[in-house]
Amino acid sequence: MSDTNTRARGSSFTQNKPKVLRPFNTSEVKILLLENVNTTAVEAFKKQGYQVETYAKALVGDELIEKIRDVHVVGIRSKTKLTKDVLDEAKNLLAVGCFCIGTNQVDLKHAANKGIAVFNSPFSNSRSVAELVIGELITLARQLGDRNTEMHQGIWNKVSSKCYEIRHKVLGIIGYGHIGAQLSVLAEAMGMTVYFYDVLQIMPLGQAKPMDSLEDLLAISDFVSIHVPETEDTKNMIGERELNIMKKGSYLLNNARGTVVQIPALAKALHSGHLAGAAVDVFPKEPASNGHFFTDYPDLLSAKNLIMTPHIGGSTEEAQSMIGIEVSSALTKFINEGTSLGAVNFPEIDLRAISQEDKDTVRVLYIHRNIPGVLRKINEIFAEHNVEKQYSDSKGEIAYVMADISNVSQENLQSVHDAIVATPANIRTRVLY
């Protein structure tokens, strides 16, 4: 065999290695992680060489302000509240990572106005929540919660009255997003008939069928499961009127947001027997820490066939691990490269990496107020250099420019940085080199 035939085949193209960028005019990156954020995130940040400080609980008041004052990134779950006053004290804060689905614990608009990007994990716990709902459906249909409580009290109560299979029952899903859609598939596999209602037109999975209105869905469902975000439109979505539309003897499950269901109306429907049972994982007011603090809803405590859980829909090892990876990855890309994909309060933009060979190319990250004439001013600053690539986008009052400019010497970095910061629309400017 000739040398030609034995020669190893080379790649049809050469892929340049990306340049590892460093922040200009910034000290070591400091990360503060609260509420026992998963170790996958801690390890990911430490691998980047960041300085990481962790706490198992939420912080409030002066303690939170003291800790957040000089960090570049803070990671939280659902209990830590990042209000306007707290964010105003965070002078170095670049980004917030919500290691959960919800972001209503953060003042998103004020964060954006300060150039702080907020990231969350909208998908990673979908399976965990969907599986919890399946467990709740069976537990409610068989009254397992009440039987379990009775057994712990030494009461043997073997009954079949008003205990059912979930097969052939109608499940109505409010909100057919990632969780609702996964629940739909699991419920169908167990023999349920699935209908859903969503404000958006969404392609059904399997045999699920959309309904034209919330009222139509409530009226036909044996079980109603809620999976909507907290918005002005969803607050108090389910009250006495909606519960009365539901079938007598039906069940309501809320694993979405506590403000969606009016608790007094739910308690009334359970005590009257109109609802045969309910499962509630989220509440309008939730304790900030574990302990004997669940005291705000005494009317629910005596209700029959009611499952109450402490906001644990996404609290599985698998979900928390995936959330840790997803959010830490988004934050790392934002810190190291300026990529804002996945930000919930911010323009989402990205640029391909700078090649390792481009020694004198730097990346400018310019967050500014969305007013006319800004790009003209910024491009005048870039005029003495070559703009390799540039991307700009806006979201409401905030705009974000990413630009890679070449022929920038180490001596020029300070002057470029200072010129951009001096523009009237500047909110925050970073230069990576």
Side-chain angles (χ1 to χ4, degrees):
M1 186 177 290
S2 68
D3 290 342
T4 302
N5 291 332
T6 58
R7 190 167 52 221
R9 291 184 179 180
S11 173
S12 59
F13 67 95
T14 57
Q15 186 174 7
N16 293 325
K17 291 184 178 180
K19 181 180 180 181
V20 178
L21 300 174
R22 296 177 294 168
F24 170 71
N25 209 21
T26 301
S27 58
E28 184 180 16
V29 175
K30 296 180 180 180
I31 311 285
L32 175 65
L33 299 178
L34 306 177
E35 302 183 61
N36 204 28
V37 166
N38 194 266
T39 56
T40 54
V42 178
E43 292 165 1
F45 289 137
K46 287 183 176 179
K47 187 176 180 180
Q48 294 295 321
Y50 304 156
Q51 181 179 321
V52 183
E53 186 175 6
T54 63
Y55 286 84
K57 64 176 184 177
L59 299 182
V60 297
D62 291 342
E63 188 178 14
L64 175 59
I65 289 173
E66 181 63 31
K67 289 296 181 183
I68 204 175
R69 188 164 277 145
D70 66 342
V71 301
H72 299 97
V73 173
V74 61
I76 62 174
R77 293 176 70 187
S78 58
K79 294 176 182 177
T80 301
K81 308 301 180 185
L82 298 182
T83 62
K84 177 182 182 297
D85 291 341
V86 172
L87 292 172
D88 283 341
E89 296 292 333
K91 305 302 182 184
N92 296 329
L93 196 62
L94 300 176
V96 174
C98 295
F99 288 77
C100 52
I101 293 179
T103 56
N104 55 307
Q105 67 275 41
V106 182
D107 188 330
L108 295 177
K109 183 176 181 180
H110 191 65
N113 287 336
K114 291 181 68 65
I116 301 168
V118 179
F119 298 87
N120 70 335
S121 178
F123 315 128
S124 294
N125 71 356
S126 301
R127 177 71 183 199
S128 294
V129 178
E131 287 189 6
L132 176 64
V133 175
I134 292 294
E136 291 172 343
L137 292 172
I138 297 171
T139 299
L140 290 173
R142 298 293 298 273
Q143 301 180 16
L144 296 181
D146 288 357
R147 298 295 86 77
N148 178 64
T149 299
E150 291 163 355
M151 290 292 284
H152 279 273
Q153 296 170 347
I155 301 170
W156 184 273
N157 186 20
K158 183 179 179 179
V159 295
S160 59
S161 175
K162 297 183 180 179
C163 294
Y164 306 100
E165 297 178 356
I166 64 171
R167 183 177 54 162
H168 303 316
K169 302 300 186 296
V170 175
L171 171 63
I173 300 174
I174 304 174
Y176 201 70
H178 293 276
I179 296 172
Q182 285 207 39
L183 172 61
S184 169
V185 173
L186 294 176
E188 270 196 16
M190 301 191 73
M192 301 189 79
T193 301
V194 178
Y195 292 86
F196 68 90
Y197 171 72
D198 199 292
V199 294
L200 302 176
Q201 279 198 327
I202 299 175
M203 185 178 71
L205 299 180
Q207 300 299 312
K209 298 177 178 64
M211 299 297 292
D212 292 331
S213 71
L214 175 62
E215 290 76 12
D216 290 345
L217 181 80
L218 296 174
I220 66 169
S221 300
D222 299 306
F223 297 84
V224 174
S225 189
I226 304 170
H227 302 284
V228 297
E230 182 180 63
T231 67
E232 288 302 316
D233 292 331
T234 62
K235 284 183 179 179
N236 299 314
M237 173 187 275
I238 305 297
E240 187 170 356
R241 171 184 170 273
E242 289 74 22
L243 293 171
N244 286 334
I245 294 173
M246 292 177 64
K247 291 180 180 180
K248 181 175 175 58
S250 59
Y251 307 83
L252 180 71
L253 300 86
N254 183 19
N255 293 275
R257 286 290 175 261
T259 56
V260 174
V261 176
Q262 298 176 29
I263 296 297
L266 175 61
K268 181 179 178 181
L270 288 167
H271 287 297
S272 70
H274 179 69
L275 290 185
V280 183
D281 185 51
V282 288
F283 300 85
K285 184 179 179 182
E286 297 179 355
S289 59
N290 294 342
H292 294 279
F293 307 120
F294 186 68
T295 58
D296 292 293
Y297 308 104
D299 290 345
L300 292 179
L301 302 183
S302 59
K304 297 290 185 182
N305 204 22
L306 171 63
I307 303 168
M308 291 190 292
T309 46
H311 203 150
I312 58 170
S315 295
T316 62
E317 294 288 352
E318 293 88 350
Q320 292 306 309
S321 176
M322 290 177 64
I323 289 170
I325 294 169
E326 182 180 2
V327 179
S328 64
S329 176
L331 290 168
T332 298
K333 287 180 180 178
F334 183 71
I335 297 166
N336 292 358
E337 304 167 21
T339 301
S340 60
L341 299 181
V344 298
N345 68 329
F346 219 71
E348 296 185 66
I349 62 176
D350 188 21
L351 285 181
R352 69 180 183 274
I354 299 174
S355 171
Q356 199 174 56
E357 298 174 356
D358 298 330
K359 302 296 184 182
D360 293 331
T361 299
V362 302
R363 174 161 292 180
V364 175
L365 309 172
Y366 178 52
I367 303 166
H368 62 90
R369 289 185 291 116
N370 187 20
I371 56 177
V374 174
L375 287 181
R376 177 173 57 82
K377 290 183 181 297
I378 199 75
N379 284 321
E380 287 174 356
I381 297 171
F382 293 160
E384 297 182 8
H385 309 277
N386 187 45
V387 179
E388 298 289 343
K389 47 189 179 291
Q390 184 177 13
Y391 192 179
S392 175
D393 198 3
S394 63
K395 186 171 185 177
E397 300 175 356
I398 305 301
Y400 186 29
V401 176
M402 293 180 69
D404 291 347
I405 57 175
S406 60
N407 303 321
V408 182
S409 66
Q410 295 288 322
E411 293 75 21
N412 293 146
L413 278 174
Q414 186 72 54
S415 61
V416 170
H417 177 268
D418 291 349
I420 299 170
V421 170
T423 57
N426 178 70
I427 294 175
R428 185 188 297 274
T429 296
R430 290 195 292 148
V431 177
L432 307 178
Y433 70 103

